[in-house]
Amino acid sequence: MNQTVFRAGLLDGQVALITGGATGIGFGIAELLGSLGAHVFIASRKQEHLDAAAASLEKQGARASVVTVDVRDADRVKTMIEQVQRDRGRIDILVNNAAGNFYAPSESMSANAWKSVIEIDLNGTFFCSQAVFPVMKAQGGGRIISISMTLHYRGWPLMAHATAAKAGIDALTRTLALEWARHGIRVNAVAPGPIPTEGVRKAFTPPSAGGVPDVFAVERALEDYARKSIPLGRWGTPADIAGMVAFLASPAADWVTGSIFVVDGGEWLARGQSRG
Ligand code: COA
């Protein structure tokens, strides 16, 4: 992380746990919180992702630890929280970022497909928040930040499972904020707009002409989408989302709870309007 508006050492002595923290947006969040002095625990199902991410964080000078977890498993989540607390003595920041997603028509979506996304996104967010509660309560406060989305604001075909789960996360954010404010625990969410992950890039890959892959075609298609559909004219980056998470984790947000912040270059507001 080269540049940040946050002061060095802002999170010194603090412990941040980021689910799905080994890749994508979660890794961007780990990089920023780590660069601000937090000891970051990144959690993922996949050890190989964790090892690569931890090595990169340490190379950047961050204090990082890894923990394997499937957030669908409430018992395993409890064990993870105990492990972090045993290791560092506290947990100041929980970022519920782990998510699963794929396009599937509602009429043929299997019960297991529905269940797997609801369990990762919604149950996982609840299990992790519930498990960290006693730790944060005992230490006099903490911050929980969940990653939501904007697609459920109007509905999004082929994403019944993910939109339902993320709407649930928004509801949980408000409810937990009210229940836990008296313990000094602030609960907020960030709703990212489009970030060109591998899945998005795949969706933007046009069929190759005459069998010859055009290596610039994806970039052109992405640029075209940004020009037409994102008022601020560019795709987001994990750093854009991480900046909002760091703000919410910081004392600058001490009077902010139960809020959901859209960080999307204006995309959802402009959805359906073409900028030509
Ligand atoms: N279309 C339709 N159904 C799908 C699917 C797709 N693209 N991908 C998975 N499913 C279904 C599976 O068929 C299975 O249902 P079935 O048992 O009735 O066949 C069910 O979802 C669970 O699939 P499985 O692969 O066993 O998932 P998992 O529980 O190990 O992991 C995901 C679920 C969502 C993490 C996994 O599908 C995945 O890796 N998705 C892409 C990566 C991703 O989501 N990254 C995060 C971006 S936010």
Side-chain angles (χ1 to χ4, degrees):
M1 189 68 50
N2 297 326
Q3 283 182 334
T4 174
V5 299
F6 299 98
R7 75 169 162 76
L10 178 69
L11 302 176
D12 273 355
Q14 301 200 22
V15 177
L17 169 62
I18 302 148
T19 66
T23 54
I25 293 174
F27 182 65
I29 294 168
E31 280 184 303
L32 181 55
L33 301 190
S35 78
L36 298 175
H39 187 119
V40 287
F41 275 80
I42 50 175
S44 161
R45 278 192 296 170
K46 298 189 179 134
Q47 188 67 47
E48 68 271 22
H49 288 172
L50 287 171
D51 292 341
S56 170
L57 288 169
E58 273 159 18
K59 210 163 147 198
Q60 295 175 49
R63 281 175 289 265
S65 303
V66 303
V67 54
T68 51
V69 72
D70 185 337
V71 294
R72 294 175 280 198
D73 180 341
D75 289 337
R76 182 64 200 105
V77 164
K78 267 191 205 142
T79 307
M80 166 182 75
I81 297 291
E82 282 161 15
Q83 189 181 331
V84 177
Q85 196 194 15
R86 223 180 12 254
D87 199 57
R88 307 304 313 167
R90 56 189 301 113
I91 304 174
D92 300 278
I93 301 159
L94 165 68
V95 183
N96 289 308
N97 166 79
N101 210 353
F102 48 81
Y103 283 108
S106 294
E107 62 268 30
S108 56
M109 186 185 295
S110 74
N112 201 32
W114 166 264
K115 189 168 147 236
S116 92
V117 171
I118 297 287
E119 284 190 341
I120 298 170
D121 295 19
L122 181 56
N123 294 9
T125 295
F126 183 69
F127 293 156
C128 292
S129 303
Q130 190 186 45
V132 86
F133 170 77
V135 178
M136 290 185 172
K137 181 183 169 197
Q139 70 199 18
R143 287 134 279 159
I144 297 174
I145 299 152
S146 300
I147 303 302
S148 182
M149 62 160 56
T150 61
L151 303 186
H152 55 293
Y153 295 174
R154 294 184 180 190
W156 196 259
L158 310 181
M159 284 231 188
H161 46 3
T163 52
K166 296 289 187 172
I169 289 175
D170 290 358
L172 259 186
T173 298
R174 297 187 178 107
T175 297
L176 297 183
L178 291 177
E179 285 193 33
W180 295 347
R182 69 183 192 282
H183 301 294
I185 301 171
R186 295 194 287 104
V187 187
N188 292 291
V190 180
I195 311 278
T197 55
E198 274 316 300
V200 169
R201 297 180 77 82
K202 219 184 265 173
F204 274 78
T205 305
S208 67
V212 183
D214 176 353
V215 290
F216 299 111
V218 181
E219 306 312 319
R220 276 201 305 273
L222 287 170
E223 264 174 42
D224 194 47
Y225 179 86
R227 193 172 49 76
K228 288 191 177 139
S229 306
I230 305 176
L232 288 181
R234 69 165 174 87
W235 287 74
T237 65
D240 289 314
I241 309 310
M244 180 57 83
V245 170
F247 165 74
L248 289 170
S250 81
D254 262 357
W255 210 44
V256 180
T257 198
S259 294
I260 297 151
F261 291 85
V262 174
V263 180
D264 75 339
E267 196 239 11
W268 95 263
L269 208 51
R271 213 169 278 156
Q273 298 173 9
S274 176
R275 298 181 340 121

